[in-house]
Amino acid sequence: MTTIPVILAADNNYAPYMSVLMYSILKNAKSNPFFDFFLLMPGNFKEEYKQKIETDCQFYENKKLNFVIMNSFSDIKMRIPHITQQTYYRLKAAEILPEKYDKCIYLDVDTIVNCDLAELFNIDLTDNYVAGVKAPGYHFPADGNKNYCEKTGLPDINQYINAGVLLLNLKLIRENNLTPVLCEEVKNNYISQDQDVINKVFYNKIKHLPFYYNAMTNRVFEPDEKLLKIFNTEEIDITRKSPYIIHYAGKIKPWHNKSEIFADFWWKYAKESCFYNLIYKKYLIFRLKELNKFIYNQQQEQNHIVTTLCSLIKIKTKIKAKETKQEIRYLYRNET
């Protein structure tokens, strides 16, 4: 039986979504591999959430859950508002996982798995540190995104991958003692945070995976002429019709808005989670806040229109009064 170590990271806010992801992984494991989950979390992670995660996975015997408390990166200032410090935990993968594991899969918890992860895990990394899918937006600029490369110190953007789905070569990372290097690079506070760190440190040792292994919802339906510069037609077609791994990479997630791209995939798994009531409650609260924001903006717009109209009426009244005075003076002069 194949054993697949999988790293996930979340705080209390993202705990329900991590559990939904795990459920999707287990449900789609057709080859019945054994999953050794390493769940990285801060010290204040709730015990009740751990129990719920265990409950979501209870009907699958082919797994082990390791709850790993992390004390690193808590003082890092985040540059992207909707991303938390937990994003940096993946940088310590080679240090956290047992030496017996030569490689592992890392997934952001805003993903959902529709395939057997054994397929991804069995991809040969050869002498590469990591395998991932190219991050389309970084590759779009016609000048090779030179400005971004200058800011991050990257030789070029050609190899740049999204860090939400990774196959990591733990053995090679350990052999070259790169964990301290990765952690040191964090101090540079790059624009795309840990993603820039990974692309910079692993540069020239990056294997590229097909688009459908990281179907970034904010990029899947970009115009073909843009995507075809990065992926082939078959990759794009599979990604749009039956993505292997969906990555809700935008700021708005499916648990915020059911109309988001591929949201129906996510909700299909969420409805079977014991976190569902909490997820739906959060969803309703978010939608209510959005509605209140919309109403407020509408009121502000109406107030602006009323204020503008009043100003125009006032100006017109002044002009009319001035014209009336001029007419009176004219008539007075002619009468006298």
Side-chain angles (χ1 to χ4, degrees):
M1 179 186 291
T2 302
T3 297
I4 305 175
V6 178
I7 292 182
L8 308 174
D11 59 6
N12 286 312
N13 289 326
Y14 272 75
Y17 319 128
M18 179 165 68
S19 195
V20 172
L21 167 58
M22 292 172 67
Y23 180 74
S24 75
I25 292 171
L26 292 166
K27 189 164 187 176
N28 287 294
K30 306 304 180 186
S31 65
N32 199 37
F34 185 88
F35 290 99
D36 200 357
F37 287 107
F38 291 83
L39 311 180
L40 315 186
M41 53 195 57
N44 65 348
F45 199 84
K46 295 181 179 180
E47 285 297 323
E48 64 178 288
Y49 288 174
K50 291 180 184 179
Q51 292 171 12
K52 284 189 174 184
I53 290 170
E54 289 175 339
T55 301
D56 270 352
C57 302
Q58 67 180 335
F59 297 112
Y60 297 92
E61 296 181 358
N62 57 326
K63 90 306 178 174
K64 178 184 176 185
L65 308 186
N66 304 280
F67 296 99
V68 183
I69 300 301
M70 301 288 291
N71 298 312
S72 309
F73 309 115
S74 58
D75 58 342
I76 298 295
K77 185 179 180 181
M78 304 305 292
R79 296 189 63 157
I80 304 174
H82 66 280
I83 297 179
T84 64
Q85 280 88 355
Q86 283 66 51
T87 192
Y88 286 107
Y89 290 172
R90 75 195 77 186
L91 301 181
K92 289 201 167 189
E95 181 181 285
I96 294 166
L97 269 65
E99 291 281 338
K100 66 180 179 180
Y101 292 131
D102 290 340
K103 60 181 178 177
C104 75
I105 292 174
Y106 169 87
L107 297 170
D108 277 349
V109 295
D110 59 351
T111 61
I112 212 76
V113 172
N114 294 317
C115 68
D116 187 338
L117 276 187
E119 298 173 23
L120 172 58
F121 187 71
N122 288 330
I123 290 174
D124 187 5
L125 281 166
T126 60
D127 61 345
N128 293 297
Y129 290 121
V130 65
V133 176
K134 285 187 176 181
Y138 295 79
H139 295 266
F140 287 156
D143 67 346
N145 216 340
K146 289 182 179 179
N147 185 48
Y148 195 87
C149 290
E150 289 173 3
K151 288 179 179 178
T152 55
L154 281 166
D156 58 64
I157 209 72
N158 299 334
Q159 299 182 30
Y160 199 94
I161 58 172
N162 178 275
V165 178
L166 301 173
L167 180 61
L168 290 161
N169 191 336
L170 303 177
K171 182 180 180 182
L172 196 59
I173 293 170
R174 292 187 191 112
E175 286 176 357
N176 291 285
N177 196 29
L178 288 183
T179 299
V181 179
L182 291 164
C183 294
E184 184 65 24
E185 285 289 333
V186 171
K187 297 176 183 178
N188 290 318
N189 196 23
Y190 292 117
I191 301 167
S192 295
Q193 304 175 151
D194 58 294
Q195 184 168 279
D196 284 341
V197 171
I198 288 168
N199 278 280
K200 185 176 179 181
V201 175
F202 294 158
Y203 178 81
N204 218 26
K205 292 284 187 178
I206 298 173
K207 184 182 182 73
H208 293 121
L209 300 173
F211 193 14
Y212 45 76
Y213 273 118
N214 187 347
M216 292 157 265
T217 53
N218 57 342
R219 297 298 181 188
V220 167
F221 292 101
E222 290 278 4
D224 285 359
E225 59 266 26
K226 295 175 77 173
L227 290 178
L228 283 170
K229 294 177 181 178
I230 309 164
F231 310 110
N232 63 47
T233 303
E234 184 182 10
E235 285 179 67
I236 296 170
D237 189 50
I238 293 173
T239 303
R240 289 172 175 171
K241 292 180 181 178
S242 52
Y244 290 20
I245 299 175
I246 301 172
H247 185 187
Y248 303 96
K251 183 179 179 181
I252 302 300
K253 309 295 183 183
W255 52 84
H256 295 142
N257 189 345
K258 290 185 177 182
S259 297
E260 283 298 297
I261 294 171
F262 294 148
D264 53 332
F265 282 96
W266 191 86
W267 280 97
K268 178 181 72 174
Y269 297 112
K271 286 176 181 177
E272 298 184 44
S273 169
C274 62
F275 276 102
Y276 180 69
N277 288 340
L278 177 60
I279 288 170
Y280 199 71
K281 179 182 177 181
K282 286 187 172 186
Y283 166 76
L284 292 176
I285 291 171
F286 183 86
R287 299 312 301 163
L288 182 60
K289 286 180 179 178
E290 288 296 295
L291 178 60
N292 288 335
K293 191 187 299 182
F294 173 77
I295 292 171
Y296 174 78
N297 290 337
Q298 289 293 102
Q299 289 174 339
Q300 291 299 103
E301 187 176 342
Q302 290 173 6
N303 291 340
H304 176 70
I305 292 170
V306 170
T307 302
T308 303
L309 286 172
C310 289
S311 299
L312 290 172
I313 292 169
K314 190 175 181 181
I315 291 168
K316 190 173 182 181
T317 302
K318 285 183 178 179
I319 293 172
K320 188 65 179 175
K322 186 177 180 181
E323 289 175 348
T324 303
K325 287 179 182 178
Q326 288 174 343
E327 288 175 2
I328 292 171
R329 290 195 192 98
Y330 176 78
L331 290 171
Y332 176 77
R333 290 195 194 97
N334 287 343
E335 287 295 323
T336 55

